[in-house]
Amino acid sequence: MITAKRSRLRRAVLAALVVAGCAAALLWPRPAMTDASYTDGEYAASGTVTAATLSNPSNMTCTVQKTAGIFTSVTIGWQSAYPLTATVGGITVLTASSSVKTSTVTGISSSGTGPYTYTVTLDQSLLLSLVTNLLGSTTTFTVVNAAGTNWTSASLTKTLTMSLAGLNAKCV
């Protein structure tokens, strides 16, 4: 009988120790979350990590076409080390910004084998509404080389201005 009591007592103590151990493991403070990080001793003393860079676009031009002194279209050109891509968020991106809106310009053509020469001609209907052109307007063109959504090169800009009714259009 004494042996049975001891056996029950041992089981109860053992069960209590298991429960206490599990509770301690669950309640023990966890280490703070970090970004993945490690050091490999074999490579820790050698090699360097550098960020990639994108080359800058160059030689941006902006040529205004007029008929009877009134703005009809503008041709934007530039050079880039990167070819024209059909992917979304292509490497060379041209945006047009006015007080009304900002949009990415499409319909760009390219030539060459590096550096590549890009051109696009935009008429007044693509740039601004007729009412805005009648009142005068300013549109800024910005070209940048971009990879993904976060890597961009330095940008080049040209500004198209015109006065009432599309007169005195110039791009600088």
Side-chain angles (χ1 to χ4, degrees):
M1 197 81 121
I2 294 177
T3 320
K5 282 185 180 182
R6 279 188 192 167
S7 174
R8 271 190 253 155
L9 181 62
R10 282 185 183 157
R11 277 189 242 148
V13 169
L14 184 59
L17 287 173
V18 168
V19 168
C22 289
L26 290 173
L27 297 175
W28 193 266
R30 290 180 174 84
M33 295 295 288
T34 63
D35 290 333
S37 176
Y38 66 91
T39 301
D40 185 342
E42 183 178 345
Y43 298 101
S46 65
T48 58
V49 176
T50 58
T53 58
L54 294 171
S55 68
N56 298 329
S58 61
N59 302 326
M60 186 174 187
T61 61
C62 184
T63 307
V64 174
Q65 288 81 36
K66 302 174 190 177
T67 300
I70 298 174
F71 171 82
T72 56
S73 64
V74 62
T75 300
I76 309 295
W78 71 95
Q79 288 185 324
S80 174
Y82 306 108
L84 189 64
T85 62
T87 61
V88 174
I91 292 191
T92 296
V93 180
L94 175 67
T95 56
S97 301
S98 69
S99 61
V100 179
K101 72 179 206 175
T102 297
S103 60
T104 301
V105 177
T106 59
I108 300 169
S109 63
S110 70
S111 62
T113 57
Y116 299 90
T117 300
Y118 291 87
T119 57
V120 64
T121 299
L122 305 168
D123 64 19
Q124 65 179 346
S125 65
L126 291 173
L127 292 175
L128 303 166
S129 69
L130 182 59
V131 173
T132 306
N133 279 341
L134 288 174
L135 300 175
S137 64
T138 300
T139 303
T140 302
F141 299 101
T142 305
V143 65
V144 64
N145 290 329
T149 57
N150 295 321
W151 288 14
T152 59
S153 68
S155 62
L156 295 176
T157 60
K158 294 287 185 180
T159 303
L160 171 67
T161 58
M162 65 184 81
S163 60
L164 293 174
L167 295 171
N168 301 319
K170 60 183 172 187
C171 196
V172 290

